[in-house]
Amino acid sequence: MRWLTVLLLALSLSVAVADPLPSWRDGPTKQAITAFVAAVTQAGGADFVAPAQRIAVFDNDGTLWVEQPMYTQLAFLLDRVKALAPEHPEWKDTQPFKAAIEGDRKALGEAGMDGLMQLLMATHAGMTSEAFEQIAADWIASARHPRFDLPYTALVYGPMLELLDYLRSNGFKTFIVSGGGADFMRPWAERVYGIPPEQVIGSHIEQRFDLREGKPVLVREPKVAFIDDKGGKPVGIQRHIGRRPILAFGNSDGDLQMLQWTTGASGRRLGLILHHTDAEREYAYDRESHFGKLDQALDLAPANGWIPVSMMDDWAQVFPSP
Amino acid sequence: MRWLTVLLLALSLSVAVADPLPSWRDGPTKQAITAFVAAVTQAGGADFVAPAQRIAVFDNDGTLWVEQPMYTQLAFLLDRVKALAPEHPEWKDTQPFKAAIEGDRKALGEAGMDGLMQLLMATHAGMTSEAFEQIAADWIASARHPRFDLPYTALVYGPMLELLDYLRSNGFKTFIVSGGGADFMRPWAERVYGIPPEQVIGSHIEQRFDLREGKPVLVREPKVAFIDDKGGKPVGIQRHIGRRPILAFGNSDGDLQMLQWTTGASGRRLGLILHHTDAEREYAYDRESHFGKLDQALDLAPANGWIPVSMMDDWAQVFPSP
């Protein structure tokens, strides 16, 4: 019966080769994902979804990459305040700039949202769109995460990169829907996630068209235009995509409404919540966390059929191999 | 020499079959378009542009479909006022509603932008996004153009449909960038233009996420969020696409800044302006027109290398064959 052995070996090899999610441990979570994709792509099946309608939306911070000990864009903002401080000698005696320069997190916390907005506008506005893109690209190329001592773009989650690829190879269009600034993510999202800038939805400040010495520019203005978080996420999705996703993946209460909007419609849908349960390989946090607080969405998950993905249990590997 | 005849015949046939723009008359305009596409798609050529960067943006009203005797969305708005009037008996004595119901264009003109905004909010806000989509889809399926007595979606320009197809078959991603409402265009843009909703950029009113009896909805609010016209077009492009187009096609001064933004950068670019010169087959208008005024952009075209496309001279056919 040697032919049977060969056949079985060939089959098992082909299965091993075919696993599109090798960093996901076998179990109900992985099965739920592959069963969903199989169902919506099976031509003639009850749950078939035409390729054009296969829209999948992903939060960024804490879903596609690390968001501890603080959102990466906040680390960028603080670095930018320090870099710009020599041009603003008055900052060293003025809050919230003093706190940002000194890394005084207590004073920063006390400055609250108003203080954060002041820092945001001082670092994210006043330049052209092209200049900002270069600043963001330069920073992301050089900055390193304080704990892992790696570039932030090395701290994206390998299982999520696999999932993005798997969905795209099944005809899905993958979008980022983040509370962070779209213009902060776009300079590197295509290279790192395979997601082009036109599929990156995020928060925005105002911009203004101008001609400078005959050269057209967009000038970034110190005024918030849109906050793509919480109830803003479905709004951002509607504005930008104009149709309802069939898959949403988030990790915090900021993603609650995006999950509701995605799964609260007829037809087969999938909602997933990354639960940070792995203090050793990454971080463990949920209800009490300052960044990426996951509380209400976790409570509402069972009734809505959203699947909590445990980093510790469901992922064989967290970060991609170098 | 029968083989030569056969060969020449085969060649001429293959050339005829291969013309991707049969509704465009041969001449410098058509040559400029095909030369541009050949240049940016030629691997290894000096002007080569990677497929991901092949972004082409198109105005809608007057560029892809008829905008006379008024913007189609305005006809929709006026029809909606009439349809809703029975629920608002006070409208028949209140301007600007009275003017809209009676089709009194003089009084409508006197009501100005404030009056128009009142009508817009009364007809475009207050319902859910899904309800509005259905209203727009129903209207476009039944309304007919006053002169041509055809559905508005039959009054798209055949040569432009060919151009959209030609660009896509050469790896371009085609976007609409319109002053009109994105949510008015999206219900039919994919079917008519082959442009999916996520590639339709337009003006927006505010929307608000809500749960109604546990069902997630987006409620359209009576407040303008973004006007995608004039200097707003480059801003809309940057917000939505996040990279600069290499081809822009417009027809009015509302497209001026989009043309500047597209062609005012390094690398090979193409700017085109549809000039309505054909009163017989469509309309003839430019500098004095109330809708689709083309004045400054026409003056600036030569210095910027933008190509005026004459509907009368450059198009063998205006509307697609039924």
Side-chain angles (χ1 to χ4, degrees), chain A residues 130 173 186 190 196-199 206-207 209 216 218 225 234-235 238-244 257 260, chain B residues 130 173 186 190 196-199 206-207 209 216 218 225 234-235 238-244 257 260:
Chain A
E130 285 185 346
K173 216 164 179 176
R186 283 167 165 167
E190 188 157 33
E198 63 268 28
Q199 286 162 224
E206 297 287 353
Q207 301 195 53
F209 179 81
L218 290 169
V235 174
Q238 182 66 15
R239 274 196 198 182
H240 197 108
I241 309 178
R243 55 181 149 203
R244 218 150 154 177
Q257 291 83 355
Q260 289 172 322
Chain B
E130 284 184 348
K173 215 166 180 174
R186 284 169 166 166
E190 187 157 33
E198 63 269 27
Q199 285 161 228
E206 296 286 353
Q207 301 197 53
F209 179 82
L218 289 170
V235 174
Q238 182 66 15
R239 273 198 199 181
H240 197 108
I241 308 177
R243 54 182 150 204
R244 219 149 155 178
Q257 291 83 353
Q260 290 173 320

Side-chain angles (χ1 to χ4, degrees), chain A residues 32 248 259 263 269-273 297-308:
Chain A
L259 286 160
T263 65
R269 311 277 165 147
L270 184 63
L272 296 149
I273 298 175
L298 199 57
D299 291 338
L300 290 169
N304 286 281
W306 302 330
I307 298 173

Side-chain angles (χ1 to χ4, degrees), chain B residues 122-133:
Chain B
T123 52
H124 285 63
M127 70 292 282
T128 67
S129 59
E130 284 184 348
F132 182 79
E133 186 178 330

Side-chain angles (χ1 to χ4, degrees), chain B residues 231-278:
Chain B
K233 289 203 175 192
V235 174
I237 289 168
Q238 182 66 15
R239 273 198 199 181
H240 197 108
I241 308 177
R243 54 182 150 204
R244 219 149 155 178
I246 63 168
L247 184 156
F249 207 139
N251 80 300
S252 79
D253 284 358
D255 304 313
L256 173 58
Q257 291 83 353
M258 175 170 85
L259 286 159
Q260 290 173 320
W261 180 240
T262 300
T263 66
S266 58
R268 187 141 175 183
R269 311 277 166 149
L270 185 62
L272 296 148
I273 298 176
L274 180 58
H275 195 179
H276 293 263
T277 51
D278 197 328

Side-chain angles (χ1 to χ4, degrees), chain B residues 40-242:
Chain B
V40 299
T41 56
Q42 197 201 328
D47 294 327
F48 179 74
V49 175
Q53 306 278 351
R54 292 180 203 156
I55 304 290
V57 290
F58 290 81
D59 171 58
N60 184 41
D61 296 306
T63 299
L64 296 178
W65 74 350
V66 171
E67 66 181 344
Q68 303 293 354
M70 67 173 79
Y71 298 137
T72 305
Q73 193 171 359
L74 188 52
F76 166 71
L77 179 156
L78 295 175
D79 277 359
R80 287 305 299 160
V81 172
K82 287 175 204 154
L84 293 168
E87 301 165 31
H88 299 271
E90 74 283 8
W91 283 359
K92 65 176 192 293
D93 303 311
T94 319
Q95 291 297 15
F97 300 97
K98 184 170 183 289
I101 293 164
E102 294 169 357
D104 179 349
R105 287 184 69 166
K106 184 163 168 290
L108 274 175
E110 284 162 7
M113 188 52 77
D114 286 352
L116 186 64
M117 281 294 144
Q118 268 186 279
L119 297 173
L120 184 77
M121 295 316 172
T123 52
H124 285 63
M127 70 292 282
T128 67
S129 59
E130 284 184 348
F132 182 79
E133 186 178 330
Q134 193 59 52
I135 290 166
D138 288 348
W139 184 84
I140 206 82
S142 64
R144 294 179 85 84
H145 187 275
R147 170 175 159 194
F148 295 103
D149 192 26
L150 285 169
Y152 288 93
T153 49
L155 297 171
V156 299
Y157 305 132
M160 297 303 288
L161 298 182
E162 291 171 5
L163 178 57
L164 290 170
D165 273 341
Y166 172 55
L167 292 172
R168 289 190 290 254
S169 70
N170 279 282
F172 281 75
K173 215 166 180 174
T174 53
F175 287 82
I176 291 174
V177 179
S178 170
D183 294 332
F184 176 70
M185 296 178 276
R186 284 169 166 166
W188 48 269
E190 187 157 33
R191 174 172 48 83
V192 173
Y193 298 136
I195 296 180
E198 63 269 27
Q199 285 161 228
V200 176
I201 306 171
S203 296
H204 280 282
I205 61 172
E206 296 286 353
Q207 301 197 53
R208 180 176 48 80
F209 179 82
D210 199 9
L211 288 174
R212 292 186 170 175
E213 297 172 0
K215 189 175 169 285
V217 293
L218 289 170
V219 182
R220 295 172 59 85
E221 303 265 69
K223 184 165 182 287
V224 169
F226 181 66
I227 304 284
D228 189 56
D229 199 26
K230 299 192 169 72
K233 289 203 175 192
V235 174
I237 289 168
Q238 182 66 15
R239 273 198 199 181
H240 197 108
I241 308 177

